[in-house]
Amino acid sequence: MLDLFVFSSVWVACAAAALALAACPAMGVPLHGGAAGLAFFGTLVIYNVDRLRDVDRDRATSPERAAFICAHRRALWLAVGLAAGGSGLLAWRQTPPVWGLLAAVLVLGLLHRRLKHVPFLKEAYLIAAWLGVVVGVPALASHGAAGEGWVIGVVGGALGANVIASNLRAPQNAAGQLGQRAALATAAAFALGAAVLAFLGSPSVWPLAAVPLATLASLLAFRPGERYGLVVVDGALLVGALAALALSHPLCWAGGAGSAG
């Protein structure tokens, strides 16, 4: 069951959706179900398309995931189609600025197969794409968002730590070139800096500190191996985002009840 959630990218898609929701109260806007849905379905589409198309090279760094992809190829393509349909329906209800941002993220996602082996570039565009989805979309869709810079800094720091730790098994990427000790120290610095930044912001941003702190905890207990990165390091984003939501002012839940579009 864990393999099903993790190797099908449902696990990381849940993290994206939770981050999109957690960003809303930090920016002073109601919870936006449409943004969370776009984050979830879009992550499923982009991640699975990349892994289905690049399964041969994936065997070198994530052999267990590659074996799962090969064994369930048809089901995963079906999931991609359903997720693409869900993304399209949700995107149709958004505004042109959101369409433009989603188009830019989609282009990056489709180019991922060709760009992901370029050191430092991969880390930069992955963080930018995730920030566009989990912060940019809810900000543009809600109108009147405030403090986006603080949210981008906090979430971006946690995402930077996640990307570095998740790429340790790929020697051609920046994390692999730094070596495990230096890469983990850099990732931990990103996470710790993001947590400190959260507490320097307004009270609405404080709960977001849970995201980099959960990521930092996953780094301090780091274990080499494919499953730890996919389950624990990615799962830290989900746990941290859910904790941030729980710590946010209860009024944000009441205010978000009618804002699911």
Side-chain angles (χ1 to χ4, degrees), residues 47-181:
Y47 273 59
N48 277 313
V49 167
D50 173 68
R51 288 162 183 172
L52 283 161
R53 294 173 61 202
D54 206 23
V55 67
D56 290 336
R57 283 190 287 189
D58 205 32
R59 287 193 179 97
T61 55
S62 302
E64 293 180 75
R65 184 178 66 195
F68 178 90
I69 297 293
C70 290
H72 301 88
R73 186 180 294 271
R74 290 185 179 180
L76 289 171
W77 275 120
L78 176 60
V80 167
L82 293 173
S87 296
L89 290 174
L90 289 171
W92 182 255
R93 303 180 62 189
Q94 303 305 321
T95 59
V98 175
W99 296 343
L101 179 56
L102 291 174
V105 172
L106 179 61
V107 169
L108 285 175
L110 294 177
L111 290 175
H112 180 57
R113 184 172 173 233
R114 298 182 179 276
L115 299 177
K116 65 181 179 180
H117 301 294
V118 181
F120 300 100
L121 177 61
K122 176 182 180 180
E123 288 78 4
Y125 75 72
L126 277 177
I127 295 169
W130 269 74
L131 286 174
V133 171
V134 304
V135 179
V137 170
L140 290 175
S142 297
H143 311 291
E148 298 98 325
W150 290 99
V151 177
I152 288 172
V154 175
V155 177
L159 290 172
N162 173 277
V163 170
I164 293 170
S166 297
N167 284 279
L168 283 172
R169 298 186 307 278
Q172 72 275 19
N173 291 324
Q177 292 183 2
L178 287 173
Q180 180 171 308
R181 180 175 296 181

